[in-house]
Amino acid sequence: MAVQPKSQTEARSQTLVARLTNTLRRAIASGQFPPGTKLPSESQLTETHGVSRTVVREAIAALRADRLVEAQQGAGVFVLEQSALPVLSFGNLDQARVSSVIELLELRTAVEVEAAGLAALRRSPAQEETIFERHHALRDCFNAGAPTSEADFALHLAIAEATNNSRFREFLSMIGPRIIPRAAMREGEPEPDQDAYILLIDEEHRQIVVAISNGDEEGAREAMRRHLRGSQERYRALLREQRKPV
């Protein structure tokens, strides 16, 4: 199954970008590269991680978009000081419980529907481009059969960024990638059903992205609402399935 025709080389490249981005992100978060320090050069990263210069550049671009690093002309790429964001506690939130996933989806709906509408009104050309890039990166993960949670989170974060109200991005960042639950497919589910699920999610994302690009405020809100409520219904169906008598 492929969401969009892509060569295996392109899909592999995007997967390598995601892996290197996550590796560098973890290194920054762990203090391996403290604020103010310079990242290894492009050639060093290429040699250390066994990837092309294009992969390194795209990974650095993703870190810059997340405001983790900044490039200083002629000097290199430096790690930025991160504002301390409190870790939100949601009591007994348990991602292994379908009921907890539904609760988190309801919270996301309350915030992200408005974020999509504001993004349609306020996005800059550069932010719109980033949203498209994140959407295509997520599609590449689908096509490569790679994990999608990080790429999915990056897309929703780019939409929040495009509101030009930093509180939306801060809110999603405080919750973190767990806002993208992937409880997913029941074990042993037929592959055609999984393919249909992926196609459905991709189409829902496409509708959100297109509405934002068109400046369609209400269309963006409705597309995001449909996406998140659809996810709620899919998890409620899973909950009902789990409660069937044996």
Side-chain angles (χ1 to χ4, degrees), residues 5 11 17 23 27 53 58 76 92 122 144 159 163 168 171 176 195 234 237:
V17 170
T23 297
R53 287 179 179 269
E58 291 189 23
N92 63 346
R122 299 177 178 175
I159 292 170
T163 66
F168 283 95
F171 179 79
D195 291 351
R234 287 187 283 273

Side-chain angles (χ1 to χ4, degrees), residues 89-97 99-100 103 178:
S89 172
F90 289 96
N92 63 346
L93 178 64
D94 180 358
Q95 293 271 106
R97 291 178 60 85
S99 58
S100 288
E103 290 168 355
R178 65 178 175 169

Side-chain angles (χ1 to χ4, degrees), residues 2 9 49 52 68 79 81 92 105 134 136-137 141 148 155 158 163 167 180 187 206 219 239 244:
T9 300
H49 297 279
S52 68
L68 293 175
V79 178
E81 186 76 45
N92 63 346
L105 283 166
R134 299 289 172 84
H136 285 293
C141 288
T148 59
L155 172 60
T163 66
R167 303 308 177 193
I180 310 294
E187 187 176 351
R206 187 195 69 80
L239 186 62
K244 279 185 178 179

Side-chain angles (χ1 to χ4, degrees), residues 2 5 15 34 39 57 84 115 132 163-164 169 174 176 182 213 240 245:
T15 301
L39 289 184
R57 288 169 189 158
F132 275 111
T163 66
N164 286 296
R169 192 185 201 286
M174 283 190 289
R182 278 287 180 266
S213 180
R240 289 192 294 271

Side-chain angles (χ1 to χ4, degrees), residues 4 6 14 129-143 151 155 202 209:
Q4 253 192 353
K6 280 276 184 181
Q14 289 300 322
E129 183 177 29
T130 297
I131 290 172
F132 275 111
E133 288 174 349
R134 299 289 172 84
H135 184 215
H136 285 293
L138 177 55
R139 282 181 159 178
D140 290 338
C141 288
F142 282 144
N143 289 334
L155 172 60
D202 179 69
V209 170

Side-chain angles (χ1 to χ4, degrees), residues 2 60 97 101 113-114 130-133 143 156 158 175 179 184 186 189-190 199 212 218 223 235:
I60 295 298
R97 291 178 60 85
V101 173
V113 167
E114 182 63 15
T130 297
I131 290 172
F132 275 111
E133 288 174 349
N143 289 334
H156 284 268
I175 301 174
I179 71 164
R186 295 179 286 277
E189 185 170 14
L199 287 168
I212 291 173
E218 288 309 313
Y235 279 95

Side-chain angles (χ1 to χ4, degrees), residues 34-221:
T37 60
K38 180 180 174 181
L39 289 184
S41 68
E42 186 177 289
S43 59
Q44 288 174 318
L45 289 173
T46 296
E47 183 177 352
T48 300
H49 297 279
V51 295
S52 68
R53 287 179 179 269
T54 299
V55 168
V56 171
R57 288 169 189 158
E58 291 189 23
I60 295 298
L63 296 178
R64 290 177 64 187
D66 287 340
R67 297 180 180 174
L68 293 175
V69 301
E70 70 173 359
Q72 297 180 12
Q73 190 168 7
V77 178
F78 292 82
V79 178
L80 293 174
E81 186 76 45
Q82 298 301 302
S83 58
L85 294 176
V87 176
L88 288 185
S89 172
F90 289 96
N92 63 346
L93 178 64
D94 180 358
Q95 293 271 106
R97 291 178 60 85
V98 176
S99 58
S100 288
V101 173
I102 293 171
E103 290 168 355
L104 196 55
L105 283 166
E106 288 179 346
L107 177 61
R108 286 183 59 197
T109 301
V111 174
E112 292 195 71
V113 167
E114 182 63 15
L118 290 176
L121 290 177
R122 299 177 178 175
R123 84 273 179 223
S124 69
Q127 289 168 336
E128 184 175 346
E129 183 177 29
T130 297
I131 290 172
F132 275 111
E133 288 174 349
R134 299 289 172 84
H135 184 215
H136 285 293
L138 177 55
R139 282 181 159 178
D140 290 338
C141 288
F142 282 144
N143 289 334
T148 59
S149 292
E150 288 284 348
D152 201 330
F153 178 62
L155 172 60
H156 284 268
L157 209 56
I159 292 170
E161 183 75 36
T163 66
N164 286 296
N165 176 339
S166 62
R167 303 308 177 193
F168 283 95
R169 192 185 201 286
E170 289 171 7
F171 179 79
L172 294 189
S173 295
M174 283 190 289
I175 301 174
R178 65 178 175 169
I179 71 164
I180 310 294
R182 278 287 180 266
M185 310 317 287
R186 295 179 286 277
E187 187 176 351
E189 185 170 14
E191 180 144 349
D193 291 348
Q194 295 187 35
D195 291 351
Y197 173 79
I198 289 172
L199 287 168
L200 176 61
I201 295 299
D202 179 69
E203 176 59 20
E204 289 175 353
H205 282 141
R206 187 195 69 80
Q207 291 175 7
I208 296 167
V209 170
V210 168
I212 291 173
S213 180
N214 288 339
D216 183 356
E217 177 186 2
E218 288 309 313
R221 283 196 178 99

